[in-house]
Amino acid sequence: VDVLIFHYSQQPPSNFFALYLQCMYRLANSSSGASKSLQARITVHPNLDGLFSMPFLPLLSTGRFATTSIIAVTYLILLLSGLSSGNAQQVTLQAYDNAAFVGMPIEEMTLDYDSTVSIPGMVSARIMGSIQVASPFGLTSSIYVDCATQNNLQHNDNDDVENVPGFFWLDDHLVCQSGFYNITLMQMDGTIRTPIRVSPRRKEWVVYGEFWPQNELFSLTNSVADIKSVSSPTHATRSIFGQVNPTTSPLEQRRLRLIQQIQNGWGLYNHNSLQEAILLPEGIRLKWHFCGSSDSSSCDQSSKIPATVRPLVASVTPPRNTPDILQYEVAYPAENVTLRVMYRFGLDDRMELTFHSTSAPTNGYLRVSADVAYFPARHGSVVTSSSSSITVSATGLRTFTFCACGIDRSSSFPVEHLGESNLIMVPVPENGQSFTIHGVDSAEMDENEYDCNTKEMQDATAIQYHLQDSRIRAVTRGIDAAIYYNLIYTPAERTLIAPVSRGWGKALCMPALRPEFEYVLFDWDNVLVAYMMGIRGKKDLAYASLIQVVRSRTAKGFIPNFSAGGAKSQDRTEPPLAAKVLLKLVERFDDKWIVEYLWDDLAIQMDWFWSNRRLDDFIVLGSDPVSYPNSHGTNTMQGARYESGLDNSPMYDGDFFKGNLMQLYDVGMTSLVLQECESLIALASLISRDADDLQHRTKVLRQSLQKLWDPDAGIYTNMFVNGTFYKRRSPTSFYPLLSKKVASDTQVNSMVEHWLTNQTRFCIGDRAVDCWWGLPSISADDPAFPKLGYWRGYVWGPMSILVYWALDNYSHLPKVSLAKHQLATQMSDMFLNLWEKKGRVCENYSPRRNATDCTGDKFYHWGALAGLLALLESNETEPTSRSS
């Protein structure tokens, strides 16, 4: 028999592949001659065309089937099974008369892939659809996108439809973009170089795009050339765009509503600036610059935030997600200028920008201007400008007028000398003096010129800190400042996000058309800010933030170390915490839809860990051999150190990197992967998901962690693959306690007594001057500790929250309960020490009592996790708003 044909009139039975293997085995055994070649062609479904072939590697290890010298079993199979070859080859197109996709579309239709439409008044176009996918029989298959756009920073005005500015996402992977970032298409996730792997866990992939045509014409083929599947190992490809369905799931529609809901109100949304207030959804922007003299060329045009900025207040009134008040102090020492800058934002979106001088300036001017940010993702213009006001209109949306109050006009330079977008340029106020810029929706203005003295802004309720304890109030203010001074917007993420600190985007994001497009998301940094948002009662922000970081996953399925404008760390991840934080949020808000939405993605990440970071049933650190922009140590020991999140920890001193993995069984990462699996099992019970494979993994990892118990030292310790302990201990040695089923009470008491509360080690309760605040990132008896340096002894917020969670699992033990309370007290005292003195939220803190400033970035939101422990310990968290 040369060709064996299975032909089913219906979808093949679930055991089809097993039956096929049995038949091949029998065929091989009945064949004459050891070198007999067999070929089999299978048609899986009678009405599917475009099938392609792939060699089959024998899976059996016994009988003649395995000993035959050549078994050439070639079969044709549809990699995206379950899809019919019907006429579903359309997407939903929604056209809007504004750039922000706000309100009702002016036109909604199903759009054929190869058609061009002309829609009068169209400013933006959104496409939506879905693909039902599955990887049959467990075979590897992938999908990639051919992007039509080749020029990534500029569109072609000479062509009606070529190179439309916009973004295209396939299953939330940003694959195609034009007009925003200078990144080649081959560097994007989801192209043929890095196709997206199909997992049997995800049955539906979302097709989504946002575009801003430069005229009334739109053609999808000039933005997205095709969506294709690729088989492995032959790499045969076929177009699957004909399988796109114009509908999306209710979960995806709910996420879209969430995005639209939080994109409202004023904020400091440019990642690179605290000097720009931007109104969403319009993108209307009021900005100011400090100038060394009356010459406008002396104005600071840098997008870098001055090092002398000191945040003071961030107030947010429920149920808002955007701030009411943001106030900070900034100094320009060369001109002896110190300003208190306050933004006030009303419930009706009126705004005030006030400059108050607290010094006697020797020189210096302030230039205030207005325009529309985020072009081409927002459209608008300055429509009128005079000596007293400036009006900015967002196309299809609101128009705002800004005027200056409390200014001596004789000292103001004529606006016509500065350009049409400028309102005023005036000397810095004298000591104790102020002036204010007011902004108001032009539709609410009287016919007469706006009068600052008679128009009152509809204030939000006063600052909402109804907490009795003054210490808790101070901690809460610091946490809110950490969140809201880092809250930004970028079209590439479609929603508000909170990068861990401003300014990092320039280093890791690809070159952007405009500074406001720069940003970066880090994995565990941004997962933990979602947790802080949840504790502060900001459910919508917490959900949106968590979704964005989880959906930043790579084509391989793991959440990358960093993601920025399409660029991602393709070789490494970071400590996994998203499932744990999702469980915490669900316990708080009781929403099942967010579990349904993210569970598959988080389970796929655990699949990746199990397949790519498991060595002898332990989880180890690694860095894969791939090339990508800003790669920083790919496939090296240093790249693997970066995956730990503890970039230069003494635990990883030396070079024990082989292949793509550290040859070190890692206590911390093994414990965190175990925690994620246990969290996913708990979440699966809420949505009736099968978690048998995760149950198996938890049993294996719990057994493995017991092997990392060092009985001589009385603590969990990393171990080389040769079975010897690497005796460099950090707070990760307490991470096995994140599971309630690893350590015995005796082991936990030993760790707390001899390590955590020992002033020569982790200094909680019993502390020394050089280890005053406690929980240093390496034990104080380690040789690296005296010199300190980054993860070599400084104190870090994320370690504090993880150890707190670990202790909370064993708080029934008196010693542990006391240590947990002492940890919360010391960490929050450390946080308040620099927040109240200098307005700092530190990337990391010196453990020493006499430290006078941060030892890293001075405003890094995860530093507030140290203060958050006080809220958790006192149960002073914001009320929840539950929904089904």
Side-chain angles (χ1 to χ4, degrees):
V1 180
D2 292 321
V3 176
L4 178 68
I5 297 178
F6 293 95
H7 191 88
Y8 287 89
S9 59
Q10 303 295 328
Q11 186 71 18
S14 59
N15 63 342
F16 171 80
F17 196 42
L19 294 172
Y20 165 63
L21 287 179
Q22 292 175 17
C23 190
M24 289 296 96
Y25 175 76
R26 291 172 183 171
L27 248 165
N29 276 311
S30 65
S31 301
S32 59
S35 62
K36 175 72 176 180
S37 291
L38 299 177
Q39 284 209 340
R41 165 167 289 198
I42 304 173
T43 57
V44 178
H45 207 287
N47 65 341
L48 290 175
D49 54 8
L51 301 177
F52 48 88
S53 61
M54 165 193 307
F56 170 69
L57 301 178
L59 300 181
L60 300 183
S61 58
T62 59
R64 174 172 297 202
F65 188 77
T67 60
T68 302
S69 59
I70 299 176
I71 300 291
V73 183
T74 304
Y75 57 91
L76 299 179
I77 193 166
L78 177 65
L79 289 188
L80 302 177
S81 69
L83 292 178
S84 71
S85 59
N87 297 321
Q89 49 185 339
Q90 298 175 319
V91 293
T92 296
L93 170 69
Q94 294 178 337
Y96 291 83
D97 63 358
N98 63 80
F101 307 98
V102 172
M104 296 295 294
I106 58 174
E107 188 78 44
E108 182 167 353
M109 64 180 72
T110 53
L111 178 68
D112 292 330
Y113 166 63
D114 56 356
S115 62
T116 298
V117 294
S118 175
I119 302 176
M122 176 172 58
V123 176
S124 62
R126 169 192 284 156
I127 64 166
M128 296 182 292
S130 60
I131 304 177
Q132 300 296 318
V133 300
S135 182
F137 317 128
L139 301 172
T140 301
S141 58
S142 303
I143 297 176
Y144 72 94
V145 177
D146 269 348
C147 301
T149 304
Q150 297 299 322
N151 186 340
N152 288 282
L153 278 182
Q154 298 176 359
H155 60 273
N156 185 355
D157 289 325
N158 297 321
D159 194 304
D160 286 341
V161 292
E162 290 284 350
N163 296 340
V164 175
F167 300 98
F168 177 79
W169 293 268
L170 180 60
D171 202 34
D172 261 325
H173 297 272
L174 177 56
V175 184
C176 309
Q177 66 87 27
S178 175
F180 293 88
Y181 301 99
N182 188 18
I183 178 171
T184 66
L185 297 178
M186 293 302 292
Q187 294 170 334
M188 303 287 280
D189 225 13
T191 61
I192 192 169
R193 182 174 178 269
T194 54
I196 306 166
R197 292 183 180 177
V198 175
S199 168
R201 294 189 187 274
R202 280 187 65 79
K203 303 299 189 294
E204 180 182 274
W205 285 16
V206 177
V207 174
Y208 187 84
E210 293 184 351
F211 302 95
W212 294 271
Q214 302 305 292
N215 48 47
E216 297 175 348
L217 295 176
F218 179 73
S219 172
L220 187 57
T221 55
N222 287 287
S223 304
V224 184
D226 205 353
I227 305 175
K228 297 180 178 180
S229 65
V230 56
S231 65
S232 176
T234 63
H235 304 293
T237 63
R238 64 183 290 271
S239 173
I240 62 166
F241 203 99
Q243 312 300 341
V244 175
N245 189 299
T247 62
T248 56
S249 71
L251 288 174
E252 200 62 40
Q253 294 168 16
R254 184 159 186 173
R255 182 212 180 173
L256 191 59
R257 292 195 298 272
L258 173 68
I259 289 173
Q260 294 170 335
Q261 182 175 325
I262 65 175
Q263 278 189 53
N264 284 284
W266 288 94
L268 308 183
Y269 297 137
N270 180 347
H271 181 69
N272 290 297
S273 178
L274 290 176
Q275 297 170 201
E276 300 181 8
I278 299 176
L279 175 66
L280 293 178
E282 286 81 2
I284 292 173
R285 170 170 58 183
L286 183 71
K287 55 185 177 179
W288 65 273
H289 293 278
F290 176 78
C291 309
S293 70
S294 60
D295 182 357
S296 61
S297 64
S298 71
C299 297
D300 177 18
Q301 300 292 344
S302 171
S303 60
K304 186 177 180 180
I305 298 170
T308 55
V309 166
R310 176 188 176 185
L312 299 172
V313 175
S315 165
V316 184
T317 302
R320 290 170 61 125
N321 289 299
T322 51
D324 311 324
I325 298 174
L326 291 168
Q327 185 182 34
Y328 59 87
E329 187 175 83
V330 61
Y332 300 92
E335 292 83 9
N336 194 39
V337 170
T338 303
L339 292 171
R340 287 208 167 186
V341 181
M342 184 171 71
Y343 298 90
R344 295 176 65 218
F345 307 125
L347 293 174
D348 51 3
D349 283 334
R350 296 193 187 192
M351 66 90 66
E352 293 176 354
L353 167 58
T354 298
F355 300 93
H356 179 78
S357 177
T358 60
S359 64
T362 58
N363 205 346
Y365 289 77
L366 297 173
R367 187 179 73 182
V368 182
S369 58
D371 63 2
V372 174
Y374 302 116
F375 181 82
R378 294 294 187 272
H379 287 191
S381 61
V382 176
V383 292
T384 60
S385 181
S386 69
S387 61
S388 60
S389 67
I390 185 170
T391 299
V392 181
S393 177
T395 304
L397 298 172
R398 290 179 292 181
T399 297
F400 263 67
T401 295
F402 303 94
C403 74
C405 306
I407 294 175
D408 179 4
R409 289 290 171 187
S410 64
S411 65
S412 177
F413 290 86
V415 71
E416 57 264 24
H417 294 172
L418 303 174
E420 66 173 9
S421 66
N422 290 277
L423 173 57
I424 58 164
M425 183 171 177
V426 295
V428 171
E430 294 298 322
N431 188 18
Q433 300 298 308
S434 304
F435 73 85
T436 299
I437 308 298
H438 290 253
V440 63
D441 187 338
S442 301
E444 298 180 7
M445 294 179 62
D446 297 333
E447 294 182 2
N448 300 322
E449 186 175 345
Y450 183 80
D451 183 351
C452 322
N453 297 318
T454 59
K455 286 284 185 182
E456 292 294 333
M457 183 173 71
Q458 181 189 350
D459 257 334
T461 309
I463 299 177
Q464 300 291 303
Y465 295 111
H466 303 310
L467 303 171
Q468 298 303 313
D469 187 287
S470 60
R471 183 169 172 276
I472 296 298
R473 284 200 301 271
V475 167
T476 303
R477 288 191 176 98
I479 293 170
D480 285 352
I483 294 171
Y484 289 101
Y485 274 97
N486 287 307
L487 193 66
I488 70 161
Y489 170 79
T490 174
E493 296 293 331
R494 299 162 53 196
T495 187
L496 296 180
I497 56 174
V500 72
S501 180
R502 290 174 180 264
W504 277 83
K506 188 171 289 294
L508 292 173
C509 192
M510 302 307 293
L513 180 67
R514 299 179 183 278
E516 59 260 37
F517 296 149
E518 294 174 351
Y519 75 101
V520 64
L521 292 176
F522 291 110
D523 180 355
W524 65 328
D525 314 52
N526 282 88
V527 169
L528 287 169
V529 78
Y531 175 66
M532 283 198 290
M533 290 168 172
I535 293 299
R536 292 295 298 127
K538 301 303 176 185
K539 180 180 75 170
D540 291 345
L541 277 182
Y543 286 179
S545 296
L546 187 61
I547 288 171
Q548 291 310 115
V549 68
V550 171
R551 285 297 181 89
S552 73
R553 71 237 189 283
T554 66
K556 296 176 183 177
F558 65 86
I559 301 174
N561 176 182
F562 72 85
S563 173
K568 298 177 183 179
S569 58
Q570 298 288 349
D571 68 313
R572 63 183 182 267
T573 183
E574 277 194 311
L577 295 173
K580 175 69 170 182
V581 167
L582 177 58
L583 181 60
K584 290 282 188 183
L585 294 177
V586 171
E587 289 172 347
R588 184 169 180 77
F589 298 113
D590 196 27
D591 279 326
K592 291 184 180 179
W593 79 268
I594 187 74
V595 182
E596 291 272 9
Y597 193 76
L598 292 180
W599 195 92
D600 292 332
D601 297 303
L602 295 172
I604 289 170
Q605 166 151 278
M606 291 301 100
D607 295 342
W608 177 85
F609 266 105
W610 202 246
S611 299
N612 295 274
R613 292 296 185 263
R614 180 167 56 107
L615 181 62
D616 302 329
D617 287 337
F618 297 88
I619 302 300
V620 299
L621 299 165
S623 174
D624 296 338
V626 294
S627 176
Y628 59 91
N630 299 321
S631 55
H632 301 291
T634 297
N635 199 222
T636 66
M637 182 72 184
Q638 185 56 53
R641 291 188 187 105
Y642 287 143
E643 185 164 84
S644 74
L646 322 177
D647 301 356
N648 68 339
S649 172
M651 292 190 299
Y652 310 121
D653 282 0
D655 192 349
F656 30 90
F657 187 81
K658 181 180 178 182
N660 66 324
L661 300 174
M662 274 194 200
Q663 302 300 294
L664 182 75
Y665 305 141
D666 195 275
V667 168
M669 289 297 273
T670 302
S671 299
L672 292 175
V673 170
L674 172 59
Q675 176 184 244
E676 289 293 278
C677 290
E678 290 182 341
S679 298
L680 283 170
I681 291 168
L683 292 165
S685 66
L686 301 177
I687 56 173
S688 302
R689 292 295 180 92
D690 180 5
D692 288 348
D693 55 344
L694 297 173
Q695 293 278 11
H696 168 71
R697 294 171 191 174
T698 60
K699 293 178 183 178
V700 171
L701 293 176
R702 288 168 191 152
Q703 293 170 358
S704 296
L705 280 172
Q706 284 294 2
K707 298 174 185 177
L708 299 183
W709 175 259
D710 182 346
D712 295 333
I715 195 169
Y716 292 95
T717 305
N718 293 339
M719 178 188 287
F720 289 115
V721 293
N722 64 9
T724 61
F725 288 110
Y726 190 29
K727 299 183 179 183
R728 312 293 295 268
R729 282 100 177 186
S730 82
T732 63
S733 287
F734 298 101
Y735 291 3
L737 278 60
L738 290 166
S739 171
K740 296 180 180 180
K741 298 181 179 181
V742 174
S744 67
D745 288 357
T746 301
Q747 289 173 316
V748 174
N749 276 325
S750 172
M751 295 171 67
V752 169
E753 180 178 352
H754 299 296
W755 287 89
L756 187 62
T757 60
N758 185 330
Q759 68 169 269
T760 68
R761 289 170 171 169
F762 292 105
C763 320
I764 297 301
D766 182 16
R767 48 186 175 170
V769 172
D770 283 346
C771 189
W772 183 256
W773 300 116
L775 205 69
S777 50
I778 196 70
S779 178
D781 63 358
D782 189 280
F785 178 80
K787 293 182 179 179
L788 298 177
Y790 218 50
W791 292 95
R792 305 178 74 84
Y794 290 141
V795 186
W796 292 77
M799 283 183 159
S800 71
I801 191 67
L802 287 168
V803 173
Y804 184 87
W805 286 344
L807 296 176
D808 193 51
N809 280 337
Y810 292 85
S811 58
H812 61 278
L813 302 173
K815 287 182 181 179
V816 177
S817 180
L818 176 61
K820 180 170 75 80
H821 179 75
Q822 291 169 329
L823 172 68
T825 300
Q826 287 177 224
M827 292 296 100
S828 54
D829 284 349
M830 177 187 70
F831 170 73
L832 283 176
N833 179 50
L834 289 179
W835 167 247
E836 294 189 312
K837 289 180 180 177
K838 295 193 171 185
R840 307 293 198 216
V841 178
C842 301
E843 179 185 8
N844 50 67
Y845 294 84
S846 170
R848 293 171 177 160
R849 186 176 189 177
N850 60 356
T852 58
D853 210 339
C854 299
T855 49
D857 194 303
K858 292 178 171 56
F859 212 79
Y860 203 91
H861 62 48
W862 78 4
L865 289 164
L868 190 73
L869 302 193
L871 272 64
L872 298 176
E873 189 68 7
S874 63
N875 201 30
E876 289 277 13
T877 56
E878 286 297 305
T880 61
S881 56
R882 295 178 178 267
S883 60
S884 59

